[in-house]
Amino acid sequence: MRYWDASALVPLCVEEPSSAVLRSMASGTSLVTWCLSSVEITSAIERRATDGALTSEDRSAALANLALLAHSWTEVAALGPVRERALRLLATHRLRAADALQLAAALIAVGDQPAGHEFVCLDSRLRDAAGREGFTATPADESAVIRRR
C-alpha cells in the first residue's frame, strides 16, 4: 500500500518541480490518504492564489484537479483511532498536528503494520517520522523534499 500525504498530493493538482515524478508514481495505483487531505490541499492552492503564484485560471484548474483526485482516492476516515495514534505520535516525534494526523491515518490504513508499505511525502520532518514508524518514505529522489527546522 502506498499512502499519500497532502504534501505529495499538491503537486498532482498544481504544477511544481516534483509533479512529473509524483504523477508517474500515482499512475495506475490506488491513492490512499486522510479524509481531511482535501482541506490541506485546498489551503495550499488558495494560499498560492492569494500570494499571486497562481492565476485565476490556474486556481480553477488546480481545484478541478483536486476534485478529480478526491473522487478517485481512498480515504481513511476513522477519526477516533486516528486521533489516538496522533496523540502518541505527537509525544514521540516533532510533528505538527496535521502531520501527526496524516501519519496516524497511514498507520490505520496498514493496520499498524507499516513495514513494506510506502509513505509518499515531501515534508522532511514527516518523512523522518514515517521512516521511524516503519514506513518506506518516497519518492526516493529527495530533491523536491521540503526541509523544515
Side-chain angles (χ1 to χ4, degrees):
M1 194 264 332
R2 185 179 276 169
Y3 181 90
W4 290 71
D5 172 56
S7 68
L9 293 167
V10 169
L12 300 180
C13 300
V14 176
E15 195 59 41
E16 293 187 353
S18 59
S19 293
V21 169
L22 292 167
R23 283 188 192 116
S24 175
M25 289 177 66
S27 179
T29 64
S30 175
L31 303 178
V32 178
T33 194
W34 169 232
C35 65
L36 296 179
S37 289
S38 60
V39 175
E40 290 185 76
I41 297 163
T42 299
S43 173
I45 292 168
E46 296 297 355
R47 196 170 46 251
R48 284 168 175 77
T50 300
D51 292 346
L54 292 179
T55 65
S56 177
E57 295 80 22
D58 291 339
R59 176 188 170 273
S60 294
L63 292 171
N65 290 340
L66 172 56
L68 287 172
L69 272 177
H71 182 71
S72 66
W73 68 37
T74 300
E75 293 183 342
V76 176
L79 183 58
V82 169
R83 180 182 55 233
E84 291 170 17
R85 281 157 186 80
L87 292 170
R88 178 190 64 80
L89 292 167
L90 287 168
T92 307
H93 307 285
R94 194 168 164 240
L95 294 172
R96 295 178 179 167
D99 293 340
L101 290 164
Q102 286 281 355
L103 184 51
L107 288 166
I108 294 294
V110 298
D112 292 308
Q113 301 295 318
H117 297 284
E118 294 178 53
F119 190 88
V120 186
C121 179
L122 299 182
D123 179 280
S124 63
R125 190 178 302 157
L126 183 51
R127 285 171 62 92
D128 291 345
R132 287 192 302 275
E133 288 294 318
F135 285 98
T136 300
T138 59
D141 175 8
E142 294 192 25
S143 62
V145 173
I146 300 161
R147 304 277 175 214
R148 284 192 289 156
R149 291 196 260 165

